[in-house]
Amino acid sequence: MKVEWILSIQTYHKDPQQIDLLRKSQFSVGDAVDRIRQASLHTMFTHSPLSHLDTSSPAVSILTPLLRQRVNVTVIEARQLVGLNMDPVVCVEIGDEKKYTSMKESTNCPYYNEYFVFDFHVPPDVMFDKILKVSVIHSKNLLRSGTLVGSFKLDVGTVYTQPEHQFFHKWATLCDPDDITAGCKGYVKCDIAVVAKGDTIKTPHKANETDEDDIESNLLLPEDVPAERQWARFYVKIYRAEGLPKMNTSIMANVKKAFIGENKDLVDPYVQVQFAGQKGKTSIQKSSYEPIWNEQVVFTEQFPPLCRRMKVQIRDSDKVNDVAIGTHFIDLRKIANDGDKGFLPTLGPAWVNMYGSTRSYTLMDEYQDLNEGLGEGVSFRARLLISLTVEILDTSSPEVMSSTEVQVEGIPNISDNATGKVEEFFLFGCFLEATMIDRKIGDKPINFEVTIGNYGSELDTPTKPKTKKKKGGDGDDEESELIHGSSDEEVDDGGDMTSVSTTPPMKPVITDRNYFHLPYFERKPCIYIKSWWQDQRRRLYNANIIDRIADKLEEGLNDVQEIIKTEKAYPERRLRGVLEELSNGCSTFVTLGNTDQNQAGKTKLDRERLKLCMQEVPQHSVPDIYIWMISNSKRIAYARVPSKDILFSSVEEETGKDCGKVQTIFFKLPGKKSFGPAGWTVQAKTELYLWLGLNRQRKDYLNGLPNGFEENKAVKGPGIQSSPPISLMYTMKQIFQLRVHMYQARSLFAADSTGLSDPFARVFFSTHSQVTEVLNETLCPTWDQLLVFDNVELYGEAGELRDDPPIIVIEIYDQDTVGKADFMGRTFAKPITKMSDEHYGPPRFPPQLEYYQIYRGNCTAGEMLAAFELLQIGPAGKADLPPIDGPSDFDRGPILPVPIGIRPVLSKYRIEVLFWGLRDLKRVNLAQVDRPRVDIECAGKGVQSALIQNYKKNPNFSTLVKWFEVDLPENELLHPPLNIRVVDCRAFGRYTLVGSHAVTSLRKFIYRPSDKSVNNWSAMEEVVINTEPEPAVKKIETVVKLDSASDAVVKVDMPDDEKGGKGKKKRKKGEEVEEEELDESMLDWWSKYFASIETMKEIIKAQEAEAEEKEDFESGDGKCSDDADVEQNAADEDRLIGKFKGSMCIYKVPVSDDVSREMGFDSNMGMFQNIPHNDPINVLVRVYVVRATELHPADINGKADPYIAIKLGKTEIKDKENYISKQLNPVFGKSFDIEATLPMDSTLTVSIYDWDLVGTDDLIGETKIDLENRYYSKHRATCGLSASYAIHGYNVWRDPMKPTQILAKLCKDGKMDSPQYGPGGRVKVANRVYTGPTEIEDENGLKKQTDEHLALAVLNHWEDIPRIGCKLVPEHVETRPLLNPDKPGMEQGRIELWVDMFPKDMPAPGPALDISPRKPKKFELRVIVWNTDEVVLEDDDIFTGEKSSDIFVRGWLKGQQEDKQDTDVHYHSLTGEGNFNWRFIYPFDYLQAEEKIVISKKESMFSWDETEYKIPARLNLQVWDADHFSADDFLGAIELDLNRFPRGAKTAKQCSIDMVTNEQDMPMVNLFKQRRIKGWWPFVARDENDELEITGKVEAELHLMTGEEAEKSPVGEGRNEPEPLEKPNRPDTTFLWFLSPLKAIRHLVCNQYRWLVIKIVLALMLLAIVALFLYSMPGYMAKKLLGV
């Protein structure tokens, strides 16, 4: 077996996190219980990755490392965009960074498939709070910003909480932020992924196209968020603030105050609320420390919102620069619930406490980041009275304001008792011990200050409410003096007292060279503070009850786990008891939680959270307690204690876990000061007793202290009974002896340049300190030393000390000959205590050695094996103590060894080491490594490899196997690590360390004899295995399935009984069978590739592991473990210095004779029999590069021009001429042949570079493959095995060795009989018989007899062969991440490739497979627009007012908008009917396998070359109304996917809108198969209500021809030759009046106004007759009368 180790130079990086040392020690509450505590937290949002953070305090520490993170966004397409004839652009915005897609013209469903990358280098919470916004903009260009169609937003944290941290192929719903009543404005399909350093991007299994087109079921929303989100108003009411620090940021104000003497408040506070990318501010309250706003900030946002947190910040207004006073985050998931009995987000009215920098004002506040919410606050800043309510809006109501702009409104004042009755609280503390004070602080007097809120602070005036109604807080005019320990206490008649919040200053005493301690001894200083707060203890009580339930559950589950682990009886009984305890605890919680139902200030959230047993306290009450260590009036370090942990209750379950108990508290440096090594040092360790409760409950506040003390009070007199003590005088003390059994440590950091350390341990207990001896040059020191601490005085009763002894701190240092010892790590322990009256014996004594995790900062820094016992010295003195027995070690002088009962039992082991070679060694001290050597060390013994004489010429070792013997514990868990060092032997006998590595676990290398019965269980049996014959290729039926987002998938369906076949080239799975059979000549390598692309995603990881990582050199009988890869994750890439290839075998000596007899070949090789030689070998390496995906953009335009570069040894190939322009998903389809010599040329580097016209080309990413591992792998990774054997065609056998030859060689190497081929297609290997076909077709179709199928069937099932079987690497394509050394840990894309290797001493391989990308095929689409009908009428006739339209039809293929074609105009259509007989002709290039049109065009006039685009084949047809003096009017459109569109209706009447809205129910057509179709299709557009309506119908004929067919039978566009179409028979009305005025008049007269003209003529005739009658009648009458 061969294993590869990474060697790393052991240098330290200043880690920017400082852990809470104690909680990282054995007192920590594990992550599992954090999860248990969260178990009942049902919320409407997905759980945050940082849900364990307490967001009641500022979010995430500034000390959180700045993580390198990336957000990848792929905008695929948009659908159903609202608007007419749009030119949409998609804008993706994260924070202040915006990126745009290209513009798509005249479409409501544009296709983009554009990829964007956003890089960030910020703390995680800052990253997760950033808002990601996707917007669609209409008609954006350089001169105008365009019109917003709609937008969608969510925070990055929501994406991160999704499976694999991504949304894949999901549809974002667009809404108009200016009009919430408008509904959905369209959908954008996109992929969004958040990638942090070290993450791997996993592409989910792709759904088929129809599933992804179902928009409603694939919305871009977390699973638990409903598809229909309603609009809601979020009302954040800001009432008032208290306790603002006395600060001012205006320099001029200070000058003014100094010169003019104005003594007014100089803080101008306002509140700023940020939510979902919007910001609202209250008014500014000038010069006020207790501002009252009574305002509400109103946000309008969809509910549930996709933004997790709301940020509330008090800021100080300043003319120069506003600064934050304090910040609070409201996590909406913790104040809402989406269950059956859920509730909308609600909070308060309640006070929230804000923490931040120290309250002392300085001009440049070094802790200002803490006030911004970027770190754990080191001081109380202020408290703010707020409430939050949510109201769901009815958008149909006319009163609803449609805009989402933030509103700020006034609200009524809140009543004084709304937040609860003000009570007087009493805080008592006693410092029992102050040790481990960092000596850097100096020896000036040190004191401690305790504050709760502003009470107890030296900088602020603590206050007491004047009346019962007044709010507790600051700002009372009555000042009360702070009394130090030596001052007199003032007691008035009411028994009131003045608080004592600081201990008396005391000069520290030296403990050792690193630490001081304060000499408290029997006099323990006390503090006590009275404060006034609203009585909201119930919230804290409920949290404490849940804490207790969680702690009990954790303890119980640990017990159950231990019982199972140690195989004790009846673990289920203990588990049942644990669950009963859980049930009882919950019942108690419900009972106790309902006790204060009518308490003043109880909010809706209090009631709702009680129902759900929620543990967090989003509504604060009493602020946390801060303890500051002050030296010479300078604040040095602090500790923070949550008030709930020390809160007293008369009910035990409600009491805080640390109330009335002595707790160990470590002090830490504030803010950025705790970065790096400064933060590793303990500033101070205190044993502190704290009690917090109501003043009226304080009669028992001293009960938890260790007994045996007298109170020392500040005053004498009548108030003495009620007055707390200022110090305690202990009269009772116990004497102990502490025995520290320091056995060994392992995996320590290398602190010296030699790659080793000179470690020693320093043990602290109380005020005592001792050190172990220094062991030189080891990372695994075995001190084997007993440290005895005599006469340790501990104060208190014996019983209390037995149950809860003080903590022991152990620090590991590296001894330097010059200068101070270097800190290497720290750990904690509690001793097992024995009182003088107890027996020293099992089960507790003697103590067992245990491993303790060593921490350095927040990083693990090794483990320590030790035991600790604390023994009471009784009245008889030390004579009663158990004797310290064990061999006296005269060589070590007075050093005592660990006693025999405690030290592990040792046995002699032999460690055999296989030295293979060294690889990739970097320069050391600017010089190349030339003559390296490997040193192996374990438990003080070791062995050296042979010297490599010339690393460049041959990096392998000449002597393969060496061994050494060492004493190791029989218990494998106690085995020390094995250290590997590489040194370079230089001139004049100098040795330079190259690098080192520690193998932490030796278990995998321990030799375990194989069981003979297992090996021979079936020696006499025959197992017959049937392998079905491969079906002939002609039976393969393919169907091309469109995947609009990326590459299409060709599914190849096989007979049902073939679908389960293993390693069948992954083309066995499919769902649909089409009618057409594909000819074998149609199939090529890409057919196989696309057929396997779906299943490849699922099994690619396993194949990569088999192809590369399995590099075992196994001995003859499998005596060494198969776990080969010990290549650990190096902490940082820059620490990686090279690789050592080798292995180990560990076994007890003497070894049994059976082993040597059984192996019996070469005693020099020990257990490593049958290892091949490591001499140089010449090989031909053939690299096939298929494609790259999701490359990181390298150019300003968000694209890249990638090409391949390959480097192996001194050979470098750069395929620069064949770069692919502006492509992030390039298809290369290339193979490269390189000759190489192993091991010198063992690392193959495949790089992708970005071509640049000017300057050097940029590296996008690279992947490295160790060819030597593959070459020697027992899994035969040189050339993958095909699933079938063929001698011609696309699936031709690639390996120069045929399957029969490979099988014969494997049998020979495994010392097995040769395969026996029998009649009837049978072959026998070992005891397995395989059956299969024996015929094969040659190129001429003639069948031959062959055994190759049978041999290949055995090889594909080689893992079933007994003893020597293992999985052989199948034919495959590897998907490998591309990495860039400048961006460590971040994937820069992926590359798909595979590598074949052929030894030069074997027959030469055939020509490389042709995997060049398929060339698109030329097609021509001929569209004849015959007629339209029922087109909406847009125009009004000038003379008649009649509705009409001047109709024409426009068409184009998607992506070829510049090739738009229009019919002629059918003027003056009065019925919506149009007659055209017009032909469109669209030539295009098409990739059938991917179902994409390929377009090559320049992006802009400035582009250097053409860019290739692949887009779906979609035909767009639009109907327009032509206007001569204004823009044409868009009437409707239809888009037909040529691969899948509804069959046209036979008549216009049968054509309906269902053909668009209910596509799934319609018969569908694939034009690439049917080739010609004629019918009616509807034109649709959106009406005023945003609903689709039919706006016309078109009769069209679609005819698809190949390029060759089109050339043979050409046709003309429109009605032109050749094959002209007839002119349409249009009605006479289809003309323009100003072109033919006489025709127009005739039409008007004859057609439009015929009856009107007749009526007018008749009326005129009648009128003429009447006029003539009237005119002539008088004459006639005269004639008649006169008788003329």
Side-chain angles (χ1 to χ4, degrees), residues 154-209:
L154 77 168
D155 63 8
V156 175
T158 300
V159 182
Y160 196 82
T161 55
Q162 297 309 297
E164 308 299 343
H165 311 318
Q166 65 179 323
F167 285 105
F168 185 74
H169 284 25
K170 298 294 183 185
W171 294 90
T173 309
L174 300 175
C175 298
D176 185 355
D178 295 327
D179 185 6
I180 64 175
T181 61
C184 174
K185 292 287 187 177
Y187 301 92
V188 176
K189 185 180 186 182
C190 48
D191 302 340
I192 305 174
V194 180
V195 188
K197 180 177 175 179
D199 285 354
T200 55
I201 308 168
K202 295 178 184 172
T203 305
H205 183 73
K206 295 179 182 177
N208 60 41
E209 178 69 10

Side-chain angles (χ1 to χ4, degrees), residues 1294-1312:
R1294 304 194 318 272
D1295 202 316
M1297 291 179 70
K1298 294 182 178 179
T1300 49
Q1301 296 171 311
I1302 296 171
L1303 181 58
K1305 184 174 185 302
L1306 288 175
C1307 291
K1308 181 183 176 184
D1309 292 346
K1311 297 182 176 49
M1312 284 175 51

Side-chain angles (χ1 to χ4, degrees), residues 706-919:
N707 286 325
F709 60 84
E710 294 176 356
E711 297 182 39
N712 179 19
K713 305 201 177 187
V715 295
K716 311 292 181 190
I720 189 81
Q721 297 304 320
S722 62
S723 172
I726 57 167
S727 65
L728 303 178
M729 183 68 72
Y730 268 88
T731 56
M732 184 187 296
K733 64 182 178 183
Q734 314 293 332
I735 310 297
F736 288 90
Q737 183 188 77
L738 174 68
R739 296 182 181 178
V740 177
H741 305 279
M742 297 290 292
Y743 188 68
Q744 70 177 28
R746 63 183 187 182
S747 304
L748 299 179
F749 268 118
D752 295 341
S753 59
T754 59
L756 298 172
S757 298
D758 306 320
F760 67 93
R762 182 174 280 132
V763 182
F764 298 92
F765 185 68
S766 185
T767 58
H768 300 258
S769 165
Q770 286 196 35
V771 296
T772 64
E773 63 177 332
V774 177
L775 297 185
N776 293 324
E777 297 195 336
T778 178
L779 299 180
C780 174
T782 302
W783 290 295
D784 189 12
Q785 185 171 349
L786 168 61
L787 302 177
V788 179
F789 291 72
D790 272 322
N791 300 322
V792 178
E793 296 182 352
L794 298 178
Y795 296 92
E797 281 189 344
E800 296 170 336
L801 292 169
R802 181 191 186 280
D803 298 335
D804 189 17
I807 184 176
I808 302 169
V809 181
I810 305 97
E811 294 188 332
I812 313 293
Y813 289 87
D814 169 61
Q815 181 66 53
D816 286 340
T817 50
V818 179
K820 190 179 174 185
D822 298 324
F823 175 76
M824 293 171 61
R826 176 185 299 109
T827 189
F828 309 90
K830 276 205 170 186
I832 298 173
T833 309
K834 173 196 157 318
M835 308 316 292
S836 57
D837 55 350
E838 289 181 308
H839 172 64
Y840 187 87
R844 295 177 71 225
F845 296 96
Q848 298 298 307
L849 290 173
E850 289 181 44
Y851 272 114
Y852 294 86
Q853 187 71 59
I854 298 170
Y855 289 94
R856 187 172 189 263
N858 70 331
C859 297
T860 56
E863 293 176 304
M864 182 188 73
L865 186 61
F868 306 89
E869 49 186 343
L870 187 61
L871 311 174
Q872 185 183 17
I873 299 174
K878 294 182 186 176
D880 286 347
L881 296 179
I884 300 174
D885 49 33
S888 57
D889 197 337
F890 295 108
D891 295 337
R892 298 170 68 186
I895 295 176
L896 296 168
V898 174
I900 287 174
I902 299 173
R903 63 165 53 237
V905 179
L906 302 181
S907 294
K908 191 171 286 295
Y909 282 80
R910 177 175 292 179
I911 300 179
E912 289 186 1
V913 183
L914 169 67
F915 293 100
W916 185 264
L918 292 167
R919 303 288 182 270

